[in-house]
């Protein structure tokens, strides 16, 4: 058997920081969201949706949604709030 080595590794000190941040949010389900993907227009078209399209999901009681989306989407987040 060949052993497969992961090509990405999380920095242990950053794991501890993120773990503390999530713990500070309290108990309950935490759901990370990224709603846009790709850098080229053709990728965006097939790998993205509007945050507002997720509104029914964002209403789930007991869940805390965490923005994992890269880039500046403050206006879209404000529209959804």
């Amino acid at each position: 058997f060949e052993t497969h080595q992961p090509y990405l590794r999380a920095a242990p000190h950053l794991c501890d920081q993120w773990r503390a941040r999530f713990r500070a949010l309290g108990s309950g389900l935490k759901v990370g969201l990224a709603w846009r993907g790709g850098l080229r227009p053709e990728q965006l078209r097939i790998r993205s949706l509007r945050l507002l399209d997720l509104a029914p999901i964002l209403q789930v009681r007991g869940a805390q949604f965490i923005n994992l989306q890269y880039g500046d989407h403050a206006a879209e987040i404000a529209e959804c709030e």
Side-chain angles (χ1 to χ4, degrees):
F1 287 101
E2 287 186 40
T3 59
H4 295 279
Q5 297 296 318
Y7 63 95
L8 294 176
R9 290 186 191 270
H13 72 285
L14 292 177
C15 289
D16 293 340
Q17 289 176 11
W18 280 103
R19 196 172 287 113
R21 278 181 82 172
F22 293 143
R23 202 173 292 127
L25 294 174
S27 62
L29 180 65
K30 290 151 188 74
V31 180
L33 293 177
W35 58 95
R36 299 210 178 271
L39 298 175
R40 297 188 313 258
E42 65 274 9
Q43 288 177 319
L44 282 171
R45 192 172 45 256
I46 62 173
R47 296 178 58 192
S48 302
L49 64 154
R50 297 175 312 145
L51 181 58
L52 203 52
D53 293 333
L54 295 174
I57 294 168
L58 298 173
Q59 301 303 314
V60 172
R61 291 178 189 241
Q64 296 181 32
F65 296 94
I66 300 165
N67 176 9
L68 301 177
Q69 186 60 55
Y70 55 89
D72 181 13
H73 295 283
E76 191 173 13
I77 293 168
E79 174 188 15
C80 203
E81 289 174 338

XYZ file of all heavy atoms in Angstrom:
652
model
N 0.818 -1.186 0.000
C 0.000 0.000 0.000
C 0.862 1.250 0.000
O 1.805 1.362 0.762
C -0.889 0.054 1.249
C -2.009 -0.918 1.214
C -1.937 -2.112 1.915
C -3.145 -0.651 0.479
C -2.976 -3.006 1.889
C -4.185 -1.537 0.443
C -4.114 -2.725 1.151
N 0.478 2.161 -0.855
C 1.123 3.465 -0.813
C 0.381 4.320 0.208
O -0.828 4.253 0.319
C 1.038 4.151 -2.180
C 1.941 3.543 -3.219
C 1.899 4.365 -4.499
O 1.874 5.606 -4.413
O 1.867 3.749 -5.562
N 1.118 5.065 0.940
C 0.454 5.986 1.873
C 0.259 7.318 1.174
O 1.141 7.818 0.496
C 1.284 6.182 3.157
O 2.556 6.703 2.803
C 1.441 4.867 3.900
N -0.919 7.833 1.330
C -1.250 9.117 0.715
C -1.064 10.207 1.746
O -1.608 10.148 2.841
C -2.686 9.119 0.200
C -2.891 8.137 -0.914
N -2.535 8.419 -2.197
C -3.408 6.889 -0.911
C -2.810 7.382 -2.958
N -3.343 6.440 -2.191
N -0.307 11.185 1.400
C -0.072 12.320 2.271
C -0.977 13.472 1.845
O -1.089 13.761 0.660
C 1.401 12.771 2.191
C 2.388 11.732 2.663
C 2.203 11.424 4.137
O 2.007 12.311 4.943
N 2.251 10.147 4.470
N -1.621 14.119 2.795
C -2.461 15.258 2.421
C -1.617 16.371 1.822
O -0.468 16.570 2.226
C -3.092 15.692 3.739
C -2.279 15.067 4.802
C -1.585 13.880 4.216
N -2.168 17.058 0.848
C -1.422 18.151 0.232
C -1.688 19.478 0.925
O -0.995 20.457 0.689
C -1.700 18.248 -1.272
C -3.114 18.558 -1.642
C -3.520 19.862 -1.884
C -4.056 17.541 -1.773
C -4.816 20.154 -2.234
C -5.353 17.826 -2.129
C -5.732 19.127 -2.355
O -7.014 19.411 -2.701
N -2.676 19.498 1.797
C -2.947 20.683 2.603
C -2.891 20.289 4.069
O -3.399 19.256 4.461
C -4.338 21.249 2.309
C -4.588 21.810 0.930
C -6.042 22.232 0.798
C -3.690 23.001 0.659
N -2.288 21.122 4.853
C -2.246 20.894 6.298
C -2.569 22.212 6.994
O -2.039 23.250 6.635
C -0.855 20.441 6.741
C -0.491 19.065 6.283
C 0.841 18.656 6.910
N 1.340 17.462 6.292
C 1.060 16.233 6.730
N 0.312 16.063 7.782
N 1.555 15.183 6.110
N -3.420 22.104 7.987
C -3.768 23.286 8.773
C -2.689 23.536 9.810
O -2.171 22.601 10.412
C -5.112 23.070 9.464
N -2.362 24.800 9.992
C -1.378 25.180 11.006
C -2.009 24.962 12.384
O -3.089 25.487 12.654
C -0.982 26.636 10.836
N -1.367 24.190 13.241
C -1.960 23.879 14.554
C -2.376 25.112 15.357
O -3.455 25.124 15.958
C -0.855 23.100 15.269
C -0.059 22.488 14.165
C -0.102 23.503 13.048
N -1.571 26.175 15.349
C -1.944 27.358 16.130
C -3.187 28.040 15.556
O -3.990 28.604 16.292
C -0.769 28.339 16.241
C -0.445 29.053 14.974
N 0.210 28.441 13.921
C -0.704 30.324 14.590
C 0.340 29.322 12.933
N -0.201 30.464 13.310
N -3.363 27.956 14.232
C -4.573 28.529 13.640
C -5.784 27.668 13.948
O -6.883 28.186 14.155
C -4.401 28.698 12.132
C -3.386 29.752 11.703
C -3.244 29.785 10.189
C -3.765 31.125 12.228
N -5.600 26.366 13.995
C -6.708 25.473 14.376
C -7.197 25.837 15.767
O -8.401 25.908 16.016
C -6.262 24.015 14.346
S -5.994 23.365 12.698
N -6.271 26.068 16.673
C -6.638 26.435 18.039
C -7.396 27.754 18.062
O -8.396 27.899 18.770
C -5.388 26.535 18.922
C -4.714 25.198 19.137
O -5.376 24.145 18.939
O -3.521 25.195 19.501
N -6.961 28.727 17.263
C -7.643 30.023 17.215
C -9.064 29.877 16.678
O -10.013 30.443 17.225
C -6.858 31.007 16.354
C -5.574 31.480 16.989
C -4.769 32.379 16.046
O -5.244 32.806 15.004
N -3.532 32.657 16.435
N -9.213 29.132 15.588
C -10.539 28.945 15.007
C -11.440 28.144 15.931
O -12.633 28.440 16.075
C -10.441 28.288 13.631
C -10.087 29.296 12.586
C -8.881 29.492 12.006
C -10.954 30.283 12.035
N -8.944 30.538 11.116
C -10.206 31.037 11.110
C -12.294 30.600 12.228
C -10.753 32.084 10.394
C -12.841 31.647 11.503
C -12.071 32.371 10.599
N -10.893 27.133 16.568
C -11.671 26.337 17.508
C -12.219 27.230 18.626
O -13.389 27.138 18.990
C -10.807 25.212 18.083
C -11.583 24.131 18.761
C -10.695 22.945 19.137
N -10.331 22.188 17.939
C -9.085 22.097 17.445
N -8.081 22.697 18.044
N -8.833 21.403 16.362
N -11.395 28.143 19.126
C -11.823 29.072 20.177
C -12.917 30.015 19.655
O -13.890 30.298 20.368
C -10.632 29.866 20.698
N -12.762 30.490 18.434
C -13.785 31.382 17.849
C -15.127 30.669 17.737
O -16.172 31.234 18.069
C -13.356 31.854 16.462
C -12.417 33.017 16.476
C -12.047 33.437 15.087
N -13.071 34.301 14.486
C -12.913 34.918 13.333
N -11.779 34.779 12.651
N -13.853 35.673 12.847
N -15.096 29.438 17.253
C -16.345 28.691 17.095
C -16.947 28.345 18.452
O -18.165 28.394 18.638
C -16.139 27.437 16.263
C -15.800 27.726 14.822
C -14.894 26.942 14.145
C -16.379 28.779 14.145
C -14.583 27.203 12.824
C -16.077 29.056 12.819
C -15.176 28.255 12.163
N -16.117 28.012 19.407
C -16.595 27.709 20.756
C -17.279 28.937 21.357
O -18.292 28.817 22.042
C -15.425 27.258 21.627
C -15.847 26.446 22.820
C -14.673 25.870 23.588
N -13.989 24.843 22.810
C -12.673 24.839 22.555
N -11.885 25.776 23.011
N -12.135 23.876 21.834
N -16.763 30.124 21.055
C -17.337 31.365 21.576
C -18.742 31.630 21.024
O -19.503 32.394 21.614
C -16.419 32.543 21.259
N -19.086 30.998 19.928
C -20.420 31.163 19.353
C -21.470 30.385 20.131
O -22.668 30.539 19.893
C -20.437 30.713 17.888
C -19.610 31.546 16.917
C -19.606 30.902 15.538
C -20.139 32.970 16.849
N -21.044 29.537 21.034
C -21.974 28.740 21.822
C -22.249 27.398 21.190
O -21.627 27.009 20.202
N -23.195 26.714 21.782
C -23.516 25.375 21.291
C -24.428 25.477 20.070
O -24.885 26.549 19.705
C -24.182 24.558 22.389
O -25.400 25.170 22.759
N -24.704 24.371 19.495
C -25.589 24.333 18.344
C -24.827 24.119 17.049
O -23.603 24.188 17.001
N -25.588 23.851 16.032
C -25.046 23.563 14.709
C -24.445 24.818 14.084
O -25.073 25.879 14.079
C -26.160 23.027 13.813
C -25.792 22.672 12.391
C -24.813 21.501 12.381
C -27.042 22.332 11.600
N -23.251 24.683 13.590
C -22.593 25.771 12.873
C -22.430 25.335 11.420
O -21.933 24.252 11.146
C -21.244 26.101 13.503
C -21.410 26.757 14.860
C -20.247 26.473 15.752
C -20.491 26.940 17.149
N -21.407 26.109 17.903
N -22.871 26.196 10.517
C -22.869 25.864 9.093
C -22.064 26.928 8.349
O -22.397 28.107 8.395
C -24.309 25.821 8.530
C -24.304 25.469 7.043
C -25.166 24.847 9.330
N -21.005 26.507 7.677
C -20.209 27.421 6.881
C -20.800 27.554 5.489
O -21.182 26.556 4.875
N -20.887 28.780 5.000
C -21.463 29.032 3.676
C -20.482 29.761 2.767
O -19.867 30.750 3.162
C -22.709 29.912 3.795
C -23.923 29.328 4.486
C -25.018 30.375 4.575
C -24.425 28.106 3.753
N -20.360 29.263 1.574
C -19.679 29.954 0.478
C -20.598 29.766 -0.730
O -20.897 28.639 -1.107
C -18.304 29.352 0.224
N -21.092 30.837 -1.267
C -22.116 30.764 -2.308
C -21.618 31.176 -3.685
O -22.365 31.136 -4.650
C -23.339 31.581 -1.904
C -23.056 33.021 -1.641
C -23.186 34.044 -2.540
C -22.575 33.599 -0.432
N -22.814 35.231 -1.956
C -22.435 34.987 -0.647
C -22.244 33.081 0.822
C -21.984 35.853 0.332
C -21.793 33.955 1.793
C -21.670 35.315 1.546
N -20.385 31.557 -3.795
C -19.815 31.906 -5.102
C -18.519 31.134 -5.288
O -17.743 30.982 -4.353
C -19.529 33.400 -5.190
C -20.775 34.235 -5.044
C -20.653 35.527 -5.816
N -21.874 36.297 -5.693
C -22.904 36.172 -6.509
N -22.865 35.343 -7.503
N -23.983 36.902 -6.331
N -18.299 30.647 -6.493
C -17.085 29.892 -6.748
C -16.526 30.161 -8.124
O -17.259 30.335 -9.085
N -15.229 30.181 -8.212
C -14.575 30.388 -9.489
C -14.193 31.838 -9.697
O -14.779 32.745 -9.118
N -13.200 32.021 -10.527
C -12.735 33.372 -10.820
C -13.125 33.822 -12.222
O -13.275 35.009 -12.477
C -11.215 33.449 -10.648
C -10.706 33.156 -9.237
C -9.187 33.133 -9.211
C -11.240 34.185 -8.259
N -13.258 32.877 -13.118
C -13.627 33.229 -14.487
C -15.145 33.303 -14.617
O -15.870 32.579 -13.936
C -13.056 32.188 -15.447
C -11.522 32.142 -15.430
C -10.955 31.248 -16.518
N -11.592 29.960 -16.626
C -11.081 28.815 -16.153
N -9.924 28.800 -15.549
N -11.741 27.689 -16.304
N -15.653 34.182 -15.478
C -17.106 34.353 -15.614
C -17.860 33.050 -15.873
O -18.931 32.837 -15.302
C -17.244 35.319 -16.803
C -15.974 36.098 -16.784
C -14.918 35.134 -16.317
N -17.315 32.160 -16.697
C -18.027 30.910 -16.973
C -18.078 30.010 -15.737
O -19.033 29.270 -15.541
C -17.427 30.168 -18.178
C -16.011 29.664 -17.994
C -14.918 30.669 -18.324
O -15.216 31.862 -18.555
O -13.750 30.264 -18.342
N -17.061 30.091 -14.882
C -17.085 29.334 -13.627
C -18.125 29.915 -12.678
O -18.888 29.182 -12.056
C -15.717 29.379 -12.931
C -14.641 28.566 -13.584
C -13.315 28.751 -12.859
O -12.964 29.871 -12.462
N -12.585 27.676 -12.706
N -18.128 31.228 -12.555
C -19.082 31.880 -11.665
C -20.515 31.532 -12.032
O -21.357 31.298 -11.164
C -18.901 33.400 -11.698
C -17.737 33.944 -10.890
C -17.526 35.416 -11.178
C -17.951 33.710 -9.416
N -20.786 31.493 -13.301
C -22.146 31.237 -13.771
C -22.635 29.847 -13.343
O -23.787 29.684 -12.980
C -22.194 31.391 -15.294
C -23.570 31.438 -15.877
C -23.603 31.778 -17.365
N -22.623 31.078 -18.182
C -21.492 31.622 -18.660
N -21.203 32.875 -18.390
N -20.660 30.926 -19.398
N -21.775 28.845 -13.369
C -22.217 27.485 -13.057
C -21.943 27.065 -11.615
O -22.482 26.062 -11.167
C -21.602 26.454 -14.027
C -20.094 26.426 -13.919
C -22.062 26.706 -15.447
C -19.422 25.315 -14.727
N -21.123 27.840 -10.889
C -20.747 27.432 -9.536
C -21.225 28.398 -8.464
O -20.782 28.326 -7.330
C -19.226 27.300 -9.450
C -18.670 26.209 -10.349
C -17.181 26.131 -10.287
N -16.754 25.897 -8.913
C -15.496 26.014 -8.499
N -14.561 26.368 -9.344
N -15.175 25.796 -7.250
N -22.128 29.300 -8.812
C -22.529 30.342 -7.872
C -24.039 30.503 -7.825
O -24.752 30.120 -8.744
C -21.909 31.682 -8.279
O -20.517 31.597 -8.328
N -24.491 31.098 -6.734
C -25.869 31.504 -6.603
C -25.891 32.777 -5.771
O -24.880 33.177 -5.201
C -26.717 30.413 -5.961
C -26.408 30.019 -4.527
C -27.673 29.463 -3.896
C -25.364 28.932 -4.504
N -27.040 33.410 -5.718
C -27.172 34.610 -4.907
C -27.376 34.177 -3.456
O -28.045 33.181 -3.185
C -28.369 35.437 -5.348
C -28.277 35.967 -6.758
C -29.552 36.688 -7.166
N -30.726 35.874 -6.832
C -31.887 36.375 -6.422
N -32.062 37.675 -6.311
N -32.894 35.591 -6.139
N -26.821 34.922 -2.527
C -27.017 34.612 -1.119
C -28.502 34.618 -0.785
O -28.978 33.791 0.000
C -26.251 35.605 -0.244
C -26.341 35.387 1.263
C -25.853 34.001 1.657
C -25.540 36.454 1.983
N -29.252 35.518 -1.389
C -30.690 35.592 -1.153
C -31.395 34.281 -1.516
O -32.429 33.944 -0.931
C -31.280 36.761 -1.946
C -32.588 37.340 -1.467
C -32.530 37.691 0.013
C -32.948 38.558 -2.280
N -30.842 33.521 -2.461
C -31.418 32.225 -2.824
C -31.348 31.229 -1.667
O -32.081 30.238 -1.651
C -30.700 31.630 -4.041
C -30.925 32.436 -5.308
O -31.979 33.106 -5.414
O -30.048 32.415 -6.188
N -30.473 31.485 -0.712
C -30.334 30.602 0.450
C -31.221 31.028 1.618
O -31.164 30.429 2.693
C -28.870 30.571 0.905
C -27.883 29.968 -0.091
C -26.453 30.136 0.410
C -28.195 28.500 -0.329
N -32.053 32.049 1.424
C -32.883 32.588 2.511
C -33.677 31.509 3.247
O -33.712 31.519 4.482
C -33.805 33.689 1.984
N -34.317 30.559 2.565
C -35.054 29.532 3.317
C -34.150 28.715 4.245
O -34.545 28.379 5.357
C -35.663 28.644 2.227
C -35.722 29.514 1.011
C -34.516 30.416 1.114
N -32.963 28.440 3.803
C -32.023 27.679 4.631
C -31.564 28.523 5.822
O -31.400 28.018 6.932
C -30.821 27.216 3.783
C -31.293 26.205 2.742
C -29.713 26.626 4.650
C -30.274 25.885 1.678
N -31.381 29.806 5.595
C -30.904 30.691 6.653
C -31.923 30.876 7.772
O -31.595 31.412 8.821
C -30.512 32.049 6.063
C -29.363 32.018 5.052
C -29.188 33.379 4.407
C -28.082 31.544 5.716
N -33.144 30.405 7.555
C -34.193 30.517 8.572
C -34.220 29.322 9.529
O -35.013 29.298 10.461
C -35.565 30.643 7.890
C -35.695 31.836 6.975
C -35.427 33.154 7.675
O -35.923 33.390 8.770
N -34.625 33.998 7.058
N -33.374 28.332 9.298
C -33.357 27.129 10.139
C -33.021 27.521 11.572
O -31.983 28.144 11.835
C -32.342 26.094 9.599
C -32.171 24.940 10.568
C -32.776 25.590 8.234
N -33.900 27.182 12.464
C -33.706 27.526 13.880
C -32.607 26.665 14.490
O -32.481 25.488 14.176
C -34.995 27.332 14.658
C -36.043 28.328 14.279
C -37.323 28.073 15.040
N -38.357 28.915 14.484
C -38.992 29.824 15.184
N -38.717 30.004 16.452
N -39.922 30.550 14.615
N -31.829 27.289 15.347
C -30.779 26.567 16.052
C -29.470 26.474 15.299
O -28.494 25.964 15.824
N -29.455 26.941 14.061
C -28.224 26.894 13.260
C -27.588 28.275 13.243
O -28.273 29.290 13.190
C -28.521 26.440 11.833
N -26.284 28.287 13.302
C -25.521 29.530 13.170
C -24.744 29.444 11.869
O -24.014 28.483 11.648
C -24.572 29.698 14.346
C -25.288 29.853 15.660
C -24.306 30.051 16.787
O -23.249 30.631 16.612
N -24.659 29.555 17.948
N -24.931 30.449 11.024
C -24.309 30.428 9.714
C -23.058 31.295 9.736
O -23.072 32.424 10.210
C -25.308 30.892 8.653
C -26.463 29.936 8.548
C -27.624 30.169 9.260
C -26.362 28.791 7.790
C -28.681 29.278 9.201
C -27.409 27.895 7.717
C -28.578 28.135 8.424
N -21.985 30.740 9.201
C -20.682 31.396 9.219
C -20.272 31.670 7.776
O -20.244 30.763 6.937
C -19.646 30.502 9.920
C -20.108 30.241 11.361
C -18.265 31.137 9.886
C -19.397 29.107 12.036
N -19.971 32.919 7.498
C -19.571 33.335 6.160
C -18.154 32.842 5.857
O -17.197 33.271 6.482
C -19.643 34.863 6.065
C -19.152 35.399 4.750
O -18.895 34.659 3.805
N -19.007 36.694 4.672
N -18.036 31.961 4.890
C -16.741 31.474 4.432
C -16.398 32.032 3.049
O -15.385 31.662 2.464
C -16.727 29.942 4.372
C -17.014 29.210 5.679
C -17.034 27.703 5.444
C -16.005 29.584 6.734
N -17.254 32.899 2.545
C -17.077 33.430 1.200
C -15.915 34.418 1.149
O -15.839 35.324 1.962
C -18.363 34.122 0.741
C -18.342 34.586 -0.688
C -18.131 33.436 -1.641
O -18.865 32.469 -1.624
N -17.118 33.538 -2.466
N -15.046 34.220 0.188
C -13.939 35.156 0.006
C -14.412 36.336 -0.829
O -15.377 36.252 -1.575
C -12.736 34.469 -0.650
C -13.058 33.792 -1.963
C -12.981 34.486 -3.163
C -13.435 32.458 -2.001
C -13.286 33.884 -4.364
C -13.735 31.838 -3.200
C -13.662 32.550 -4.375
O -13.972 31.946 -5.556
N -13.739 37.455 -0.672
C -14.091 38.662 -1.420
C -15.039 39.546 -0.629
O -15.488 39.211 0.464
N -15.332 40.699 -1.192
C -16.205 41.671 -0.537
C -17.636 41.456 -0.994
O -17.989 41.768 -2.137
C -15.734 43.096 -0.874
C -16.596 44.151 -0.205
O -17.388 43.797 0.692
O -16.471 45.330 -0.569
N -18.443 40.922 -0.114
C -19.853 40.689 -0.400
C -20.737 41.359 0.643
O -21.839 40.897 0.920
C -20.135 39.184 -0.471
C -19.429 38.520 -1.601
N -19.860 38.606 -2.896
C -18.286 37.805 -1.652
C -19.019 37.964 -3.690
N -18.061 37.467 -2.949
N -20.242 42.445 1.222
C -20.962 43.137 2.288
C -22.347 43.603 1.827
O -23.323 43.480 2.576
C -20.141 44.329 2.796
N -22.466 44.104 0.625
C -23.752 44.586 0.132
C -24.747 43.430 0.010
O -25.924 43.569 0.380
C -23.589 45.289 -1.209
N -24.281 42.314 -0.487
C -25.174 41.148 -0.641
C -25.593 40.605 0.726
O -26.746 40.234 0.918
C -24.439 40.073 -1.450
C -25.340 38.952 -1.896
C -24.646 37.980 -2.826
O -23.401 38.012 -2.952
O -25.359 37.171 -3.428
N -24.686 40.613 1.675
C -25.010 40.163 3.038
C -26.010 41.112 3.664
O -27.001 40.676 4.286
C -23.736 40.027 3.877
C -22.870 38.873 3.338
C -24.070 39.825 5.346
C -21.471 38.820 3.905
N -25.806 42.411 3.500
C -26.732 43.403 4.046
C -28.118 43.237 3.430
O -29.141 43.333 4.135
C -26.207 44.808 3.799
N -28.196 42.969 2.137
C -29.480 42.761 1.466
C -30.202 41.552 2.063
O -31.409 41.560 2.241
C -29.252 42.544 -0.038
C -30.502 42.184 -0.798
C -30.215 41.786 -2.238
O -29.066 41.510 -2.588
O -31.203 41.730 -3.005
N -29.468 40.534 2.379
C -30.042 39.310 2.905
C -30.493 39.480 4.365
O -31.470 38.851 4.780
C -29.026 38.185 2.789
S -29.778 36.561 2.787
N -29.803 40.310 5.106
C -30.164 40.512 6.517
C -31.492 41.242 6.602
O -32.273 41.082 7.452
C -29.081 41.291 7.259
C -27.837 40.455 7.469
C -26.688 41.239 8.077
O -26.664 42.484 7.971
O -25.791 40.606 8.643
